[in-house]
């Protein structure tokens, strides 16, 4: 266990600080879709989040149209000049090596090496992040100003090029936590854990989900909650392929990514566009976030595209801050710990927590007197309103709740259908239940 990392504190400021401290521990580790860096990260998550189950899937295992790749590990990598100086050094930043680079050991001129070098000419002081998961290749990423310095030495300069990596039969690792509730119906919360040394994408998603894992056990729960820490794409596909029973229990879901930068909260709708999770998040953002963005679903992005694939069509949206690819620091060394803040991480956590509270409080009922309209007057439910209440709206809400409480429409569904404030509909349902006209439907 890495020292100096406290458990999540109770105070508001302590929560954000704890998430930053978790990020500081994990930031140096070289994560990829497989390998020791990924396992090291999951080990740390398991020290902070109770009940973490680890899953290993062997290389070559079929997962729908995908196959678990060989496991990649790296020990060292560098480019040395004739004087033996490392002009590119994996030890100074693990972004210097293209993830999944095959082992390489040769002497090359700069002209021969040049096709394997990646830079950002418009951001000369930043190192880009590049991968080659499913294509046999190798490469280095470096600051463009460092490449210019090499070019000044001449194209004929010879360099020792070493990537001490391995691609072998092994495993893909992921982890999940099931926090049980009163029902077997599940809320899925998922984040990707495969990016090396980038804070917003996606250590921020990891630490927010860790904090949620601690918080969920401290509160009563109608739903069960499944938290997934998976390598991007292949991890989500593997989980879907190997957990058909759990897939069938998912009623709502969120992918968490990019939660620590200064951008406004951004929600990407599910494929269904008007699922309860979509409407719940949108209501929470309207209430909590003065500046926010709502995006329609598209089949491009993070793991929400796997959960929303047509064979599953799960009601899973994505919540984060700045949209991926929309900020210059995305997939570069500039996405470091200074790019995120405790305040933004904490605000993201509380937004997700508010969505969960909304889902938990949005009950589904069944009308116990469904044949004709029940007589509200003799039950004292027709004009028993407190002073200042909009009687017309409150009475209409009770009629809508009775009409749509068929075990399939939630209170949020009813509020949206009726065009009434959610609080008014919730008050109506509470009164009708106390009056013996509703019962909890037991899930959707």
């Amino acid at each position: 266990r890495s020292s100096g990392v406290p458990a999540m504190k109770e105070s508001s400021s302590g929560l954000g600080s704890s998430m930053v401290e978790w990020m500081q521990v994990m930031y140096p580790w070289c994560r990829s879709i497989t390998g020791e860096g990924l396992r090291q990260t999951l080990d740390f998550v398991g020290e902070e989040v109770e009940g973490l189950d680890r899953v290993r899937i062997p290389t070559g295992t079929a997962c729908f149209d995908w196959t678990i790749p060989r496991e990649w590990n790296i020990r060292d990598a560098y480019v040395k000049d004739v004087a033996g100086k490392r002009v590119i050094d994996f030890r100074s930043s693990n972004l210097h090596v293209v993830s999944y680079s095959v082992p390489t050991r040769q002497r090359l001129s700069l002209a021969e090496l040049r096709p394997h070098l990646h830079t950002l000419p418009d951001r000369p002081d930043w190192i880009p992040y590049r991968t080659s998961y499913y294509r046999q290749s190798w490469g280095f990423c470096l600051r463009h100003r460092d490449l210019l310095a090499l070019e000044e030495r001449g194209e004929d300069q010879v360099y020792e090029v070493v990537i001490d990596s391995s691609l072998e039969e092994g495993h893909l690792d992921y982890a999940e936590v099931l926090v049980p509730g009163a029902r077997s119906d599940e809320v899925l919360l998922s984040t990707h854990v495969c990016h090396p040394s980038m804070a917003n994408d996606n250590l921020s998603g990891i630490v927010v989900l860790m904090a949620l894992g601690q918080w969920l056990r401290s509160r009563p729960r109608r739903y069960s909650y499944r938290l997934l820490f998976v390598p991007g794409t292949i991890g989500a596909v593997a989980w879907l392929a190997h957990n058909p029973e759990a897939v069938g229990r998912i009623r709502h879901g969120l992918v968490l990514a990019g939660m620590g930068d200064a951008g406004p909260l951004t929600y990407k709708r599910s494929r269904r566009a008007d699922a309860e999770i979509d409407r719940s998040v949108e209501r929470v953002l309207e209430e909590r976030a003065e500046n926010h963005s709502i995006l329609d679903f598209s089949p491009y992005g993070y793991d929400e595209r796997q959960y929303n694939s047509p064979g599953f069509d799960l009601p899973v949206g994505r919540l984060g801050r700045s949209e991926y690819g929309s900020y210059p620091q995305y997939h570069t060394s500039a996405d470091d710990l200074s790019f995120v803040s405790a305040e933004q991480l904490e605000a993201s956590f509380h937004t997700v927590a508010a969505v969960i509270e909304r889902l938990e409080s949005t009950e589904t009922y069944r009308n116990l007197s469904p044949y004709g309209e029940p007589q509200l007057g003799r039950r004292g439910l027709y004009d028993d309103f407190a002073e200042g209440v909009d009687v017309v709206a409150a009475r209409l809400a009770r009629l809508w709740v009775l009409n749509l409480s068929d075990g399939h429409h939630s209170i949020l569904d009813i509020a949206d259908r009726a065009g009434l404030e959610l609080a008014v509909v919730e008050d109506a349902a509470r009164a009708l239940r106390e009056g013996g006209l509703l019962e909890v439907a037991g899930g959707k």
Side-chain angles (χ1 to χ4, degrees), residues 295-366:
L295 305 176
D296 286 330
F297 175 78
S298 73
Y300 188 75
Y302 291 112
D303 284 332
E304 72 277 359
R305 68 190 196 272
Q306 310 308 329
Y307 304 126
N308 283 274
S309 55
F312 296 107
D313 190 27
L314 296 176
V316 177
R318 188 189 76 227
L319 186 64
R321 291 191 173 274
S322 297
E323 179 72 346
Y324 65 89
S326 68
Y327 52 96
Q329 296 86 352
Y330 176 74
H331 278 194
T332 76
S333 58
D335 182 5
D336 59 17
L337 293 171
S338 69
F339 186 59
V340 300
S341 71
E343 292 75 18
Q344 298 295 78
L345 289 166
E346 188 168 326
S348 296
F349 165 88
H350 286 300
T351 300
V352 181
V355 171
I356 289 171
E357 296 282 9
R358 174 61 54 83
L359 293 173
E360 286 284 333
S361 66
T362 306
E363 188 61 272
T364 302
Y365 294 101
R366 184 174 291 106

Side-chain angles (χ1 to χ4, degrees), residues 358-406:
R358 174 61 54 83
L359 293 173
E360 286 284 333
S361 66
T362 306
E363 188 61 272
T364 302
Y365 294 101
R366 184 174 291 106
N367 185 343
L368 296 176
S369 182
Y371 301 104
E373 181 182 301
Q375 189 175 0
L376 299 181
R378 71 179 177 85
R379 293 177 171 85
L381 294 171
Y382 192 72
D383 54 9
D384 60 326
F385 303 106
E387 185 176 349
V389 170
D390 184 338
V391 174
V392 173
R395 189 174 289 153
L396 183 61
R398 293 182 182 183
L399 296 175
W400 271 110
V401 170
L402 286 168
N403 189 271
L404 291 180
S405 289
D406 52 8

Side-chain angles (χ1 to χ4, degrees), residues 144-420:
H144 192 69
R145 63 176 171 82
D146 292 337
L147 176 60
L148 294 177
L150 296 179
E151 289 178 344
E152 288 180 1
R153 301 185 185 186
E155 294 287 317
D156 295 333
Q157 284 285 314
V158 174
Y159 297 88
E160 180 185 0
V161 180
V162 173
I163 298 179
D164 184 11
S165 65
S166 61
L167 269 172
E168 300 173 341
E169 299 292 303
H171 300 84
L172 176 142
D173 294 80
Y174 70 82
E176 62 183 326
V177 180
L178 181 63
V179 184
R183 300 176 182 174
S184 60
D185 294 338
E186 293 184 11
V187 177
L188 175 70
L189 301 172
S190 177
T191 196
H192 62 278
V193 293
C194 51
H195 284 20
S197 296
M198 285 177 287
N200 200 46
D201 185 19
N202 188 40
L203 280 176
S204 65
I206 296 173
V207 298
V208 169
L209 190 54
M210 290 169 64
L212 288 166
Q214 294 185 340
W215 172 75
L216 280 166
R217 291 191 183 277
S218 70
R219 66 174 315 285
R221 300 171 299 276
R222 283 195 301 126
Y223 288 108
S224 297
Y225 289 81
R226 188 173 297 273
L227 283 57
L228 294 184
F229 298 84
V230 293
T233 302
I234 185 63
V237 170
W239 184 83
L240 288 165
H242 289 86
N243 293 275
E245 292 185 3
V247 168
R249 293 192 293 269
I250 294 171
R251 299 294 175 262
H252 319 285
L254 284 174
V255 167
L256 307 180
M259 310 204 79
D261 70 281
L265 285 161
T266 300
Y267 178 67
K268 176 182 173 182
R269 295 183 176 111
S270 73
R271 182 175 181 264
R272 301 183 189 182
D274 63 348
E276 189 167 318
I277 186 65
D278 300 319
R279 290 176 286 124
S280 295
V281 175
E282 291 177 36
R283 283 177 178 265
V284 166
L285 291 179
E286 288 170 1
E287 295 165 1
R288 296 179 57 89
E290 181 176 345
N291 296 315
H292 66 273
S293 298
I294 305 295
L295 305 176
D296 286 330
F297 175 78
S298 73
Y300 188 75
Y302 291 112
D303 284 332
E304 72 277 359
R305 68 190 196 272
Q306 310 308 329
Y307 304 126
N308 283 274
S309 55
F312 296 107
D313 190 27
L314 296 176
V316 177
R318 188 189 76 227
L319 186 64
R321 291 191 173 274
S322 297
E323 179 72 346
Y324 65 89
S326 68
Y327 52 96
Q329 296 86 352
Y330 176 74
H331 278 194
T332 76
S333 58
D335 182 5
D336 59 17
L337 293 171
S338 69
F339 186 59
V340 300
S341 71
E343 292 75 18
Q344 298 295 78
L345 289 166
E346 188 168 326
S348 296
F349 165 88
H350 286 300
T351 300
V352 181
V355 171
I356 289 171
E357 296 282 9
R358 174 61 54 83
L359 293 173
E360 286 284 333
S361 66
T362 306
E363 188 61 272
T364 302
Y365 294 101
R366 184 174 291 106
N367 185 343
L368 296 176
S369 182
Y371 301 104
E373 181 182 301
Q375 189 175 0
L376 299 181
R378 71 179 177 85
R379 293 177 171 85
L381 294 171
Y382 192 72
D383 54 9
D384 60 326
F385 303 106
E387 185 176 349
V389 170
D390 184 338
V391 174
V392 173
R395 189 174 289 153
L396 183 61
R398 293 182 182 183
L399 296 175
W400 271 110
V401 170
L402 286 168
N403 189 271
L404 291 180
S405 289
D406 52 8
H408 302 291
H409 294 86
S410 73
I411 292 301
L412 181 58
D413 294 332
I414 297 169
D416 286 344
R417 176 75 177 273
L420 294 168

